[in-house]
């Protein structure tokens, strides 16, 4: 990529190598140098949290600080719970991590870590086994997704409201209930991926599909698998060659990585699209359920919401995708592959969802650490 390109896209094309892949990414201003005392997040991310979560700036800062604390202690709390661990989530009202525990004998050990304890009937291992049995079933189109909900203490099965009376859906629900404790909820639409046809702007292209970069890794960037197959060539916003898909998986998973060359390079930044400052990426610590999370994509730019569920199976028309994270963040066509970030920690790449950023919706992302582990990649961090 040439220096004139960098000026025009303001690091967005650079990050085009490391910010969003399937989300149809565009350029943003260059990242500002970090002050001596690192702030909790860029002003742009704070602004997006205020807009989408209804927070004041001070509330957004306090929430990021509390979420960082919760993320840090989640591992210790899980180890303290041992086999009694029933799952965990961030409680925005209390600002603390809540840990479900199956049995009172380990409750004090968990409290000693700083977490709040809730006694439950089923352990996470038991609920995961229920979900695994449901994963083995063949889901009809009217079934949207399913995941373990530690707060509810059961597997939540989401069905499309208009298909609630469909015989195949009813049969699936009946089979799912036989697997263990199940709670059925309705959603308004079926999930779809967020790739888009070729349009103007600053995306990357593979064939006639526009996608955005997820996050820079050493040697390339990660993105969504439905954006291209292994070996497919990738072009930048200026139609110059970037590299090729080195690995891709969809359905089953929805992740891929693209090599970078031809004068392009990678940077540890999530683009702000010229409307908010770019966000530096400093790691990939996974935020707990309930924590705030923001997404960047070329179609709808910055939007924020909450982590709603983890390890959810999403039933796309092309087939089921496993181990996804569900969020309340909106997205639209062309946002696929874009960056999900919590504070300065990379979370995942945009896969799909339902709804839009006018009326709202839900979006799933493929967790970043799974992608890094699958391909042996190293995240490019600041």
């Amino acid at each position: 990529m040439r220096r004139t390109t960098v000026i025009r896209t303001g690091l967005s094309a650079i990050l085009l190598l490391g910010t969003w892949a399937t989300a149809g990414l565009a350029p943003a201003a260059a990242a500002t140098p970090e002050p001596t005392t690192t702030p909790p997040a860029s002003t742009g991310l704070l602004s997006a949290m205020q807009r989408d979560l209804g927070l004041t700036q001070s509330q957004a800062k306090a929430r990021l600080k509390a979420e960082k604390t919760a993320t840090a202690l989640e591992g210790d709390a899980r180890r303290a719970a041992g086999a009694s661990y029933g799952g965990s989530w961030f409680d925005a009202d209390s600002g603390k991590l809540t840990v479900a525990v199956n049995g009172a004998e380990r409750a004090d050990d968990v409290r000693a870590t700083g977490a709040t304890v809730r006694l439950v009937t089923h352990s996470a291992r038991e609920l995961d086994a229920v979900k695994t049995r449901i994963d083995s079933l063949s889901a009809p189109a009217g079934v949207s997704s399913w995941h373990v909900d530690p707060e509810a203490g059961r597997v939540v099965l989401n069905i499309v409201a208009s298909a609630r009376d469909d015989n195949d859906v009813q049969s699936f629900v009946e089979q799912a209930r036989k697997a263990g404790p199940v709670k059925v909820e309705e959603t308004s639409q079926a999930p779809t991926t967020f790739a888009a046809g070729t349009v103007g702007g600053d995306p990357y292209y593979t064939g006639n599909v526009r996608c955005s970069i997820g996050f820079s890794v050493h040697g390339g960037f990660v993105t969504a698998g439905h954006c291209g197959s292994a070996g497919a060539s990738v072009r930048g916003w200026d139609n110059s060659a970037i590299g090729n898909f080195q690995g891709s998986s969809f359905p089953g998973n929805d992740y891929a990585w693209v090599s970078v060359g031809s004068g392009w390079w990678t940077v540890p930044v999530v683009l702000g699209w010229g409307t908010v400052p770019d966000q530096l990426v400093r790691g990939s610590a996974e935020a707990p359920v309930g924590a705030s999370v923001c997404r960047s994509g070329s179609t709808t730019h910055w939007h924020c919401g909450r982590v709603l569920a983890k390890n959810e199976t999403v039933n796309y028309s092309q087939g089921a995708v496993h181990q996804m994270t569900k969020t309340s963040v909106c997205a639209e066509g062309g946002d696929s592959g874009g960056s999900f970030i919590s504070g300065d920690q990379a979370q995942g790449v945009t896969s799909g969802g339902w709804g839009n950023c006018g009326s709202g919706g839900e979006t799933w992302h493929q967790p970043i650490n799974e992608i890094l582990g699958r391909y042996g990649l190293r995240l490019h961090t600041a």
Side-chain angles (χ1 to χ4, degrees):
M1 179 184 228
R2 298 166 182 74
R3 189 164 299 280
T4 53
T5 298
V6 178
I7 295 173
R8 174 168 124 52
T9 62
L11 194 57
S12 118
I14 302 178
L15 233 197
L16 204 61
L17 302 177
T19 303
W20 318 327
T22 229
L25 226 142
T32 52
E34 288 292 296
T36 303
T37 301
T38 303
S42 70
T43 54
L45 188 147
L46 292 171
S47 296
M49 290 178 67
Q50 293 174 65
R51 178 195 64 204
D52 295 334
L53 297 175
L55 304 174
T56 65
Q57 186 179 76
S58 61
Q59 288 173 332
K61 290 181 178 179
R63 178 155 178 172
L64 284 173
K65 182 177 180 180
E67 289 173 354
K68 186 174 183 178
T69 299
T71 299
L73 69 81
E74 189 172 26
D76 290 339
R78 180 167 189 158
R79 285 187 288 272
S84 299
Y85 180 73
S88 59
W89 61 93
F90 176 77
D91 187 329
D93 291 333
S94 67
K96 292 186 177 182
L97 182 75
T98 299
V99 177
V101 178
N102 176 24
E105 62 274 8
R106 304 301 293 270
D108 288 341
D109 292 338
V110 176
R111 291 190 185 97
T113 68
T116 299
V117 170
R118 177 182 296 183
L119 297 179
V120 296
T121 303
H122 304 287
S123 69
R125 183 177 302 174
E126 291 170 336
L127 293 176
D128 286 343
V130 174
K131 180 182 176 294
T132 297
R133 288 192 286 272
I134 298 175
D135 282 344
S136 68
L137 304 176
S138 179
V143 176
S144 172
S145 62
W146 53 96
H147 69 274
V148 171
D149 184 346
E151 193 169 1
R154 58 194 60 230
V155 174
V156 173
L157 179 64
N158 296 287
I159 63 173
V160 180
S162 60
R164 70 169 70 93
D165 297 325
D166 180 84
N167 289 335
D168 290 338
V169 171
Q170 290 182 342
S171 176
F172 184 88
V173 171
E174 183 179 348
Q175 294 178 71
R177 292 190 187 280
K178 293 178 181 178
V182 166
K183 177 183 179 183
V184 177
E185 295 184 351
E186 293 185 356
T187 184
S188 60
Q189 299 177 43
T192 60
T193 56
F194 283 128
T198 300
V199 298
D202 294 293
Y204 83 75
Y205 300 91
T206 176
N208 65 344
V209 174
R210 169 171 63 89
C211 284
S212 298
I213 294 167
F215 291 95
S216 287
V217 295
H218 290 272
F221 65 83
V222 294
T223 185
H226 69 261
C227 284
S229 302
S233 60
V234 173
R235 310 185 312 278
W237 64 269
D238 60 354
N239 209 38
S240 67
I242 293 178
N244 296 84
F245 279 85
Q246 298 299 306
S248 180
S249 179
F250 179 80
N253 307 292
D254 194 6
Y255 51 59
W257 85 279
V258 175
S259 61
V260 166
S262 304
W264 292 74
W265 66 97
T266 67
V267 291
V269 178
V270 171
L271 300 179
W273 298 91
T275 59
V276 299
D278 297 338
Q279 177 67 37
L280 290 175
V281 179
R282 299 187 180 279
S284 59
E286 187 176 343
V289 170
S292 62
V293 67
C294 296
R295 180 194 55 73
S296 182
S298 61
T299 300
T300 58
H301 303 175
W302 276 93
H303 285 277
C304 298
R306 296 182 303 110
V307 177
L308 299 179
K310 296 183 181 181
N311 191 24
E312 181 152 31
T313 299
V314 182
N315 189 36
Y316 293 129
S317 61
Q318 300 93 329
V321 176
H322 306 285
Q323 296 178 312
M324 302 279 272
T325 296
K326 179 164 69 174
T327 76
S328 63
V329 187
C330 67
E332 297 179 12
D335 282 329
S336 274
S339 314
F340 264 91
I341 188 166
S342 181
D344 57 10
Q345 300 295 305
Q347 298 298 304
V349 299
T350 303
S351 172
W354 61 268
N356 56 57
C357 289
S359 59
E362 294 176 339
T363 301
W364 286 268
H365 68 73
Q366 185 87 67
I368 182 69
N369 289 326
E370 180 184 358
I371 307 172
L372 299 177
R374 168 62 180 83
Y375 295 117
L377 301 170
R378 187 158 58 95
L379 185 67
H380 192 167
T381 57

